[in-house]
Amino acid sequence: MHRGGPAVSPDVTGAGPRLHAAVLAWFDDVGRDLPWRDPDCSPWGVYLSEVMSQQTPVARVLPVWERWLERWPTPADLAADSPGEAVRMWDRLGYPRRALRLWESAAAMVERHDGQVPRDHDDLLALPGVGPYTAAAVASFAFGDPRTVVDTNVRRVLARTVSGTQHAAPALTAAEMRLADASMPADRDAANRWNAASMELGALVCTARAPRCDDCPVSHLCAWQLAGRPEHDGPPRRGQAWHGTDRQVRGRIVQLLRESPDPVPRRDLDGTWPDDPTKVERCLAGLVEDGLVEPAAGGYVLPR
DNA sequence: AAGCCGTGGAT
DNA sequence: TATCCAAGGCT
């Protein structure tokens, strides 16, 4: 947490301890008993939960996580199966390339880390599909190494409580990273709990759309609250288009292959976007390029 | 370093 | 119905 750079804000030093105490107490009280928070959960279980939760709500992750751990209790079990089965078991969590990278990372654990989830932060970061968030989260939650975990929840909680703005910046900035580092409790155990607790506060109370400030344990010291909860001021935040995009068509193609035990004939894929066969062709080529789909006798399949 | 990459619930 | 948004990562 002491990474150099200028002091972030006088408020952090002043409100920090009170912020920590209130959020940690709240977390002990109402934090969810998610199975990967069980002290007996394996690092592999924590690792799976973090990758599955990238851009996917916890409620949808839970049943898939249970099935994965039952079928593949260790990285070696997954690596011994086919990547296509990983994509199939991924079901509808979205962004199926994450399943592919999970399989690749399991293979890397077998090759380089004796079949274990690596404890070292840099080793974690080197795994496919693992970026700054996931590496820090696994280090902290699976191994008690208090790296600064910065996800969309933490960013929003700090933007409001400390910076006094409704939303965090569109993309993670260096200033935000410094703020998150400076906001970490000094005590190792408290830091690890803070990582989970600040995420949980953002997920349950300090939400993006309709924050439940009446139920917030730190509303009394929240800079945004004290400023009268000013509306976002700046360029409009842009959502991503969906209808008619390659993403939509790619999703339909992969869904068909997931649900079929046999190769899916090329002509059946045209139904995923009847208006424009060239779009289907382009998306299919992209999926093959990405390793999510393979040509086979009689059509296309998930990678074997 | 913006834009791409799925899916479905909530409002 | 349309829009927002969810424990990001990669190029």
Side-chain angles (χ1 to χ4, degrees):
Chain A
M1 71 196 97
H2 303 294
R3 269 188 204 177
V8 175
S9 155
D11 286 331
V12 178
T13 347
R18 286 186 294 142
L19 186 68
H20 297 150
V23 173
L24 292 177
W26 170 86
F27 183 59
D28 288 342
D29 188 25
V30 305
R32 294 167 292 181
D33 287 322
L34 300 174
W36 45 86
R37 286 183 181 154
D38 188 315
D40 292 332
C41 182
S42 67
W44 173 239
V46 173
Y47 180 80
L48 285 181
S49 80
E50 293 304 337
V51 175
M52 288 180 171
S53 298
Q54 293 168 2
Q55 300 284 282
T56 301
V58 165
R60 224 179 307 162
V61 167
L62 277 166
V64 179
W65 182 85
E66 300 277 3
R67 274 180 255 140
W68 271 60
L69 265 186
E70 183 176 355
R71 177 160 174 180
W72 300 305
T74 70
D77 295 317
L78 176 58
D81 214 323
S82 73
E85 276 308 287
V87 174
R88 183 166 279 116
M89 286 288 284
W90 192 251
D91 199 31
R92 314 197 55 163
L93 290 185
Y95 294 139
R97 52 177 54 178
R98 286 184 293 157
L100 216 49
R101 304 219 162 106
L102 217 28
W103 183 88
E104 292 166 1
S105 67
M109 290 176 201
V110 170
E111 286 183 21
R112 309 200 292 263
H113 303 295
D114 198 26
Q116 308 294 313
V117 177
R119 309 177 75 94
D120 182 79
H121 179 262
D122 289 335
D123 288 339
L124 285 166
L125 203 47
L127 295 171
V130 175
Y133 162 75
T134 304
V138 173
S140 179
F141 302 145
F143 300 115
D145 177 9
R147 300 283 167 165
T148 304
V149 172
V150 185
D151 76 328
T152 185
N153 291 305
V154 173
R155 294 180 61 210
R156 189 173 51 251
V157 165
L158 292 178
R160 289 180 181 160
T161 59
V162 180
S163 305
T165 59
Q166 185 181 21
H167 300 297
L172 179 61
T173 63
E176 268 183 289
M177 195 62 221
R178 284 195 297 274
L179 173 58
D181 280 331
S183 300
M184 291 288 281
D187 177 75
R188 177 192 182 92
D189 181 62
N192 288 318
R193 288 186 295 129
W194 164 257
N195 279 334
S198 55
M199 284 175 65
E200 190 81 334
L201 186 65
L204 298 184
V205 172
C206 193
T207 55
R209 198 91 66 95
R212 304 166 53 195
C213 299
D214 289 346
D215 298 324
C216 181
V218 290
S219 60
H220 60 286
L221 52 75
C222 172
W224 184 55
Q225 181 73 225
L226 295 174
R229 297 170 61 174
E231 288 289 318
H232 169 71
D233 160 35
R237 310 155 73 227
R238 306 205 70 72
Q240 298 161 324
W242 173 248
H243 291 285
T245 60
D246 283 7
R247 266 197 288 179
Q248 184 179 25
V249 178
R250 286 167 58 109
R252 289 176 176 178
I253 293 173
V254 172
Q255 183 179 350
L256 283 181
L257 302 198
R258 250 194 338 251
E259 293 169 350
S260 171
D262 304 309
V264 176
R266 174 65 182 83
R267 64 180 173 280
D268 290 359
L269 299 178
D270 281 328
T272 57
W273 200 257
D275 291 351
D276 184 1
T278 68
K279 181 196 287 288
V280 176
E281 186 57 40
R282 183 176 69 249
C283 289
L284 185 54
L287 286 167
V288 171
E289 174 71 19
D290 292 344
L292 279 164
V293 171
E294 278 181 13
Y300 290 87
V301 295
L302 297 178
R304 306 183 196 273

